Amino acid sequence: MKPMEKRHCTIESNRPTAPGVYRMTLTASDGLQHRCGQFVNVAVPGAFLRRPLSVSLSEPGRLTLLYKVVGKGTEALAALPEGASLDLLTGLGNGFDVDACRNRALLIGGGIGAAPLHQLCR
């Protein structure tokens, strides 16, 4: 597991998946990889505080984030176009210990809290 890093990523897509819920896919040329269950802190342009967002899926060079619009910060995030650049703190959180239940697991989640379960079930 990598320690926390400050990264600059490009928005590949940022689209609604349900009312008020968005899926954002980010890419980085120097590679992105996260342990299942980790999260990122996103610097939203015009906002003072970063927004912590769960990583829904981590693939080599690509992260998918799922977030709900609940205030001005996530509203600004939802308005960002494809091709825009974002500043992230990556590698946050401990993630899940997938070796502890490799043969049999019960995944329970609801709403936006189910985001990190996508990669876990894969």
Side-chain angles (χ1 to χ4, degrees):
M1 180 171 51
K2 286 186 172 182
M4 180 183 73
E5 294 181 310
K6 185 174 180 178
R7 306 293 300 271
H8 293 283
C9 300
T10 302
I11 298 174
E12 184 177 280
S13 67
N14 188 23
R15 299 188 180 123
T17 59
V21 177
Y22 282 73
R23 178 185 305 140
M24 178 183 284
T25 303
L26 302 168
T27 59
S29 59
D30 57 349
L32 287 168
Q33 192 68 29
H34 274 259
R35 184 174 174 188
C36 189
Q38 287 187 305
F39 67 98
V40 297
N41 269 334
V42 179
V44 179
F48 178 69
L49 297 174
R50 291 178 177 269
R51 299 309 189 268
L53 300 176
S54 293
V55 175
S56 177
L57 185 60
S58 176
E59 301 169 301
R62 177 179 289 151
L63 291 179
T64 301
L65 311 176
L66 200 62
Y67 64 95
K68 184 175 183 177
V69 176
V70 293
K72 291 181 182 181
T74 48
E75 191 174 280
L77 198 60
L80 291 174
E82 294 175 5
S85 181
L86 274 182
D87 179 306
L88 272 68
L89 294 179
T90 64
L92 302 173
N94 293 322
F96 301 125
D97 181 5
V98 294
D99 292 328
C101 57
R102 193 159 286 286
N103 295 329
R104 191 171 173 169
L106 175 64
L107 304 179
I108 300 174
I112 205 68
L117 299 181
H118 180 204
Q119 184 169 342
L120 183 60
C121 76
R122 286 180 132 200

